[in-house]
């Protein structure tokens, strides 16, 4: 089993806990994503991180948990946030560092938050009504030449 973890979740608080999402329904058999959630109220909690691999979930979404509170089972209410994922797998180390610096500076300037999975995969929290137009010039050349790829986390619904 391979575990995807969030080392710096956007809404991490001392009272938050982790839960697991099985990634097999998203084409990643043998992988689980460990996500951060707010303290559960019964079998309900809110996402305190932006999922790297699970589709259909975003920061602040309200989710239903199994009875052991260790597995996310369903999306109960969308927060309206979206997850924008950017992966630069075909960049040299130097290009990746430059792209990472550009992405981080742009995200900060826009007042947004992001989380990194390694040094080549970033997920950006996009609140309702926010457009990512300022990010486009930073990533355009890398995407156009196939050195980077992107996707929205809502291209597929959440499922178990």
């Amino acid at each position: 089993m391979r575990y995807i973890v969030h080392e710096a979740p956007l809404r991490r608080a001392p009272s938050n806990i982790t839960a697991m999402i099985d990634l097999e329904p998203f084409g990643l058999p043998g992988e689980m994503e460990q996500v951060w959630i707010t303290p559960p109220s019964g079998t309900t909690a809110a996402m305190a991180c932006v999922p790297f691999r699970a589709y259909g979930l975003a920061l602040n979404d309200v989710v239903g948990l199994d009875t052991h509170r260790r597995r996310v089972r369903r999306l109960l209410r969308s927060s309206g946030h979206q997850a924008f994922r950017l992966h630069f797998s075909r960049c040299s180390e130097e290009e990746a560092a430059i792209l990472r610096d550009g992405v981080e500076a742009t995200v900060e300037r826009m007042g947004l938050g992001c989380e990194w999975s390694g040094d080549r995969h970033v997920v950006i929290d996009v609140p309702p009504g926010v457009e990512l137009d300022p990010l486009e010039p930073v990533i355009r050349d890398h995407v156009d030449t196939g050195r980077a790829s992107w996707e929205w986390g809502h291209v597929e619904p959440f499922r178990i």
Side-chain angles (χ1 to χ4, degrees):
M1 187 64 62
R2 179 173 176 233
Y3 294 92
I4 309 302
V5 298
H6 291 256
E7 294 181 12
L10 281 178
R11 300 282 186 264
R12 187 170 189 175
S15 59
N16 289 354
I17 65 170
T18 58
M20 302 302 289
I21 297 174
D22 185 350
L23 297 175
E24 185 170 357
F26 308 109
L28 301 167
E31 294 190 29
M32 301 284 283
E33 184 166 359
Q34 181 188 56
V35 295
W36 287 89
I37 57 173
T38 59
S41 173
T43 58
T44 303
M47 296 291 295
C49 66
V50 187
F52 291 126
R53 309 282 195 296
Y55 288 95
L57 295 176
L59 186 69
N60 298 331
D61 283 354
V62 177
V63 295
L65 308 170
D66 69 7
T67 55
H68 300 313
R69 297 186 183 140
R70 300 302 295 167
R71 297 266 177 121
V72 175
R73 293 295 183 199
R74 63 193 166 282
L75 171 64
L76 298 175
R77 187 176 68 246
S78 173
S79 64
H81 286 237
Q82 292 193 48
F84 180 81
R85 300 171 178 156
L86 178 63
H87 188 243
F88 20 106
S89 59
R90 295 190 170 107
C91 292
S92 68
E93 290 297 322
E94 183 179 329
E95 289 173 322
I98 291 168
L99 186 54
R100 181 181 175 119
D101 290 347
V103 167
E104 285 185 338
T106 303
V107 166
E108 184 177 323
R109 191 171 52 254
M110 293 177 69
L112 303 178
C114 66
E115 296 184 39
W116 289 88
S117 177
D119 62 354
R120 292 175 176 258
H121 182 213
V122 62
V123 62
I124 301 168
D125 171 50
V126 183
V130 172
E131 299 291 330
L132 290 180
D133 296 343
L135 187 61
E136 195 268 336
V138 175
I139 66 173
R140 178 185 327 130
D141 181 56
H142 292 82
V143 170
D144 288 349
T145 59
R147 294 175 296 180
S149 59
W150 63 269
E151 70 176 358
W152 287 101
H154 282 75
V155 295
E156 294 182 32
F158 180 74
R159 59 185 178 273
I160 59 168

